[in-house]
Amino acid sequence: MSRLQKVFKKRKGKYYPRKNTINSKVSTTDCKLNAQAEHAHDSKQSCAKEKKIPDLNESFSSFGDSVGILNAIMNLNILAFVFKNEVHCKMCNSGLDMQVLKGKSGLAITFVLKCFACPYRVEFSSNFHEGTQIATINTRFVYAMRSIGKGAEAGRMFCGVMNLPQPPTRFALYGKRILNAAKLVYEDSIQNAAKEAICENEGNKNLAVAVDGTWQKRGYTSLNGVVTVTSIDTGKGIDVDILSKYCACKNLPFHEKDCKRNYVGSSGAMEIQGASKIFQRSLSLHNARYITYLGDGDCKAFDAVKKKNLYGNEYPIEKLECIGHVMKRMGTRLRRLKAQLKGQILSDGKCLSGKNRLTEHEIDNLQSYYGSAIRRNHSSVQNMRQAIWAIFLHKLSTDEYPQHGFCPIGEDSWCGFEKAEVSGKSYKHKNSLPVAVVEAMRPIFRDLSHPDLLKKCLHGKTQNPNESFHNVVWSRVPKATFVQIETLSLGVYDAVCSFNDGNVSKLKMLQKLGVEPGEFSVSAMKLLDRERLMKAIYAFSRRSKKIRKDKRRKRKKEDNIKKNKVKTGYSAGSF
């Protein structure tokens, strides 16, 4: 029997009524623009990409002459029909027959126009450099493939699906020309970045730099590695060193003469040699000294640079620590402690880990609190130490024994007890840990609040620019595909230019190759830079940070729930 009346069930979850139906649908662009306005109004700082690309119109102003130069993909049958019916021979006024000759010039083809009635014939090519036999379309195509991290095989697949002539078989020939042009643009980019860093340092040529290495393959077996140096003041790359221990020629007779290998040794030691070479050429390359070395916890590269005493006793090199890496030490030490004391009984008769004790969620929180204590007080070592021990005592506090003497006072305090003191409300401790657990963590807090360590964090900076640059490099040279040093160098040079100056560097590179960028190229690169800038501003806004933080918490919570659930896994013979 069918129901006579529709049954409405209550929706699950929270319901948020719409205030205005007309303005309820907001586009993504509007959200980003609102975030941009919020960022400009609420934040005194600006994101890194705003500093790198201050004015898009000014950076693209020199490419106004490229308007009108266009490339297009079209069906040539349509063009043949137009020549046959709409275009007439200048000799006898008859129609023209168009033929296409596919030669060995890759994507460039030859057109032949012949009259139906008379011997008139004209032949022309679709795309060549003026006065040369090098097709500009092939140069563009190879550079485009390399820009998206693809090579010859992907190019052939693309042309096959698009019904285009097959690309040039010798990618390496075009790759060398593009590499030479990329190196010229790269040299200009790092020179300008170094001058900008000196200006930011008020003309002082003693610069503070962040040094980091990256490898194409995880572990200690990578054949390719890159060492990057970025300015702490500007965040731009000012030098790179590309290392490869791959020998393509093996034991052939011309091995010693033409071998491209520039490094011999373990993969882990690539960062040591790369950093040493970069510091050695700082005076000759930029007429500057890198006297402040911001690095991660691995001191081998710094020790090698310091041992050389490159700038004499007058300019000793100082080691600074990346705040992000220092923050991770808290999580690493706590997890190590948890593993060491696994199964051992503490003074209260229970283990270190377990419910309402030192769990993975609690370790993540302590690591986050430790990082915030350093970042919020990077102007004073004493304030840092006080903030770190405030975390320790806060976790030790109970309703009977509150210990909030180091916690910040006022309504804006992160401490709920101090907030309640100001407002006059009662406060009940919920997130405290047992005394035995907190006392087990005391040596870790003592080590990680040592003044010698915190002095290296007074700068308040991280290696995030280096990590961002590494991401740009491996988007052009995918880690899943091994490449030789020429392809790696092209990807690194192109990444430095784009990282420092934006996509306008690609237009400069095309000009170095003798290719006029064209209207579509200029508008596309400008649009990509604008979107990149808008995304960066949105990601820098408080609203976006809160959303990301909530997502991370939700993801960690779901991961913990999955770990606690016992599931029947698949294994051979289990069914």
Side-chain angles (χ1 to χ4, degrees):
M1 181 177 177
S2 60
R3 295 188 180 184
L4 300 177
Q5 189 174 2
K6 190 173 181 180
V7 177
F8 292 92
K9 294 183 179 180
K10 187 178 180 181
R11 291 182 180 178
K12 294 182 179 180
K14 296 181 179 180
Y15 172 66
Y16 300 96
R18 290 183 293 183
K19 295 181 180 180
N20 191 346
T21 309
I22 299 175
N23 298 325
S24 60
K25 295 182 179 180
V26 183
S27 65
T28 307
T29 306
D30 293 337
C31 289
K32 290 179 180 177
L33 291 174
N34 292 336
Q36 184 175 1
E38 174 191 346
H39 161 71
H41 181 265
D42 295 334
S43 178
K44 296 180 181 179
Q45 298 179 349
S46 57
C47 66
K49 289 186 177 60
E50 281 184 292
K51 297 177 182 178
K52 291 177 185 176
I53 313 174
D55 189 357
L56 285 177
N57 294 326
E58 183 179 351
S59 60
F60 284 89
S61 60
S62 59
F63 296 96
D65 298 336
S66 297
V67 176
I69 302 173
L70 308 175
N71 289 329
I73 297 176
M74 68 173 298
N75 188 337
L76 295 182
N77 291 330
I78 298 174
L79 189 62
F81 178 81
V82 172
F83 274 110
K84 182 178 180 180
N85 295 280
E86 303 297 334
V87 181
H88 303 286
C89 174
K90 65 179 183 180
M91 304 283 292
C92 64
N93 206 29
S94 299
L96 297 175
D97 178 31
M98 188 188 79
Q99 297 179 356
V100 179
L101 302 180
K102 297 181 285 292
K104 298 181 180 180
S105 300
L107 293 173
I109 56 178
T110 301
F111 295 98
V112 178
L113 297 179
K114 296 193 299 185
C115 179
F116 287 103
C118 71
Y120 177 76
R121 170 191 171 98
V122 62
E123 184 175 322
F124 61 94
S125 176
S126 63
N127 205 312
F128 275 102
H129 284 280
E130 187 176 352
T132 68
Q133 292 298 314
I134 301 173
T136 59
I137 191 66
N138 292 338
T139 304
R140 286 180 180 270
F141 183 79
V142 174
Y143 182 37
M145 288 290 108
R146 292 301 183 198
S147 297
I148 60 175
K150 301 297 180 182
E153 185 177 353
R156 286 191 288 271
M157 176 62 73
F158 174 79
C159 291
V161 173
M162 294 295 294
N163 192 28
L164 296 172
Q166 282 297 294
T169 55
R170 297 183 62 186
F171 254 52
L173 179 64
Y174 291 91
K176 289 180 180 178
R177 295 184 66 253
I178 299 171
L179 176 60
N180 294 333
K183 190 173 183 179
L184 294 175
V185 180
Y186 156 78
E187 289 172 351
D188 291 340
S189 178
I190 61 173
Q191 289 291 343
N192 293 332
K195 292 177 182 177
E196 186 177 340
I198 293 172
C199 291
E200 285 285 328
N201 203 25
E202 298 179 352
N204 189 353
K205 295 184 178 180
N206 298 330
L207 301 179
V209 296
V211 185
D212 197 15
T214 180
W215 290 261
Q216 191 178 15
K217 185 179 179 182
R218 293 183 181 273
Y220 297 98
T221 59
S222 178
L223 299 177
N224 295 326
V226 181
V227 181
T228 63
V229 169
T230 61
S231 168
I232 291 180
D233 297 318
T234 63
K236 292 187 177 182
I238 57 178
D239 201 359
V240 297
D241 196 59
I242 305 162
L243 302 124
S244 176
K245 61 178 183 179
Y246 175 72
C247 176
C249 47
K250 301 299 180 184
N251 295 320
L252 296 177
F254 52 82
H255 167 74
E256 294 295 334
K257 182 180 178 182
D258 299 328
C259 185
K260 300 295 190 299
R261 179 173 60 184
N262 63 357
Y263 174 77
V264 178
S266 66
S267 301
M270 283 183 175
E271 185 174 355
I272 299 174
Q273 179 170 321
S276 300
K277 289 169 64 177
I278 289 174
F279 273 73
Q280 283 174 351
R281 62 177 179 239
S282 65
L283 287 170
S284 60
L285 184 63
H286 298 308
N287 192 22
R289 302 178 189 87
Y290 307 150
I291 63 168
T292 305
Y293 184 114
L294 174 63
D296 49 24
D298 186 6
C299 297
K300 293 179 181 179
F302 170 73
D303 292 339
V305 171
K306 188 176 182 180
K307 187 177 180 181
K308 293 180 181 295
N309 196 20
L310 300 171
Y311 309 129
N313 297 328
E314 186 180 356
Y315 300 101
I317 301 175
E318 179 189 3
K319 175 71 161 64
L320 301 180
E321 295 289 345
C322 169
I323 292 180
H325 286 83
V326 172
M327 180 184 74
K328 291 179 181 178
R329 294 185 189 183
M330 176 63 77
T332 303
R333 292 284 300 273
L334 290 174
R335 290 184 180 91
R336 190 184 304 163
L337 177 69
K338 185 179 176 182
Q340 290 174 350
L341 299 182
K342 185 177 181 180
Q344 294 187 23
I345 303 300
L346 300 182
S347 59
D348 60 351
K350 296 182 180 180
C351 295
L352 179 68
S353 59
K355 187 177 181 181
N356 297 326
R357 297 176 79 83
L358 189 61
T359 60
E360 283 296 321
H361 180 67
E362 193 65 43
I363 291 175
D364 291 337
N365 286 340
L366 290 171
Q367 175 178 299
S368 178
Y369 300 155
Y370 177 70
S372 298
I374 295 176
R375 287 188 172 94
R376 292 174 181 174
N377 303 279
H378 60 80
S379 59
S380 170
V381 173
Q382 183 61 32
N383 292 343
M384 279 189 203
R385 295 196 71 194
Q386 180 174 323
I388 293 169
W389 282 107
I391 301 168
F392 181 86
L393 295 174
H394 186 87
K395 287 296 180 181
L396 197 61
S397 299
T398 61
D399 292 337
E400 294 78 14
Y401 301 102
Q403 302 184 48
H404 301 280
F406 285 168
C407 294
I409 303 171
E411 295 181 355
D412 298 331
S413 174
W414 53 263
C415 177
F417 180 85
E418 294 294 343
K419 280 186 178 180
E421 286 287 318
V422 175
S423 60
K425 298 179 181 178
S426 60
Y427 178 78
K428 186 176 181 180
H429 291 78
K430 299 178 182 178
N431 300 318
S432 59
L433 293 174
V435 176
V437 175
V438 179
E439 287 298 331
M441 298 188 297
R442 184 183 288 272
I444 297 175
F445 274 83
R446 186 187 300 116
D447 294 342
L448 296 183
S449 63
H450 198 280
D452 292 343
L453 173 63
L454 299 182
K455 283 178 184 176
K456 299 177 181 179
C457 301
L458 289 173
H459 53 86
K461 302 291 184 179
T462 67
Q463 284 182 307
N464 286 350
N466 298 68
E467 301 294 344
S468 298
F469 171 72
H470 297 164
N471 183 48
V472 179
V473 170
W474 301 125
S475 67
R476 286 156 172 75
V477 188
K479 290 191 174 186
T481 306
F482 172 77
V483 295
Q484 297 188 27
I485 191 169
E486 292 91 347
T487 305
L488 176 62
S489 300
L490 172 58
V492 172
Y493 293 153
D494 187 52
V496 171
C497 299
S498 298
F499 184 76
N500 287 351
D501 309 317
N503 286 310
V504 70
S505 60
K506 293 189 179 297
L507 306 180
K508 296 177 182 178
M509 209 170 296
L510 288 173
Q511 286 187 336
K512 294 287 185 184
L513 289 164
V515 179
E516 196 60 36
E519 182 179 352
F520 290 163
S521 295
V522 174
S523 60
M525 297 303 140
K526 192 173 182 179
L527 178 62
L528 288 171
D529 273 350
R530 184 180 289 111
E531 289 181 349
R532 172 189 175 189
L533 190 59
M534 289 176 62
K535 288 178 181 178
I537 293 173
Y538 174 69
F540 192 74
S541 65
R542 289 182 298 177
R543 176 187 177 190
S544 176
K545 289 179 180 178
K546 185 178 182 303
I547 292 173
R548 293 199 302 272
K549 191 173 182 180
D550 293 341
K551 284 183 178 179
R552 281 197 298 269
R553 286 179 176 174
K554 184 179 179 181
R555 185 168 60 250
K556 287 180 181 178
K557 187 176 180 180
E558 291 175 352
D559 292 341
N560 291 333
I561 293 174
K562 289 179 181 179
K563 288 179 182 178
N564 294 331
K565 286 183 178 179
V566 179
K567 293 186 177 181
T568 305
Y570 173 81
S571 61
S574 60
F575 298 99

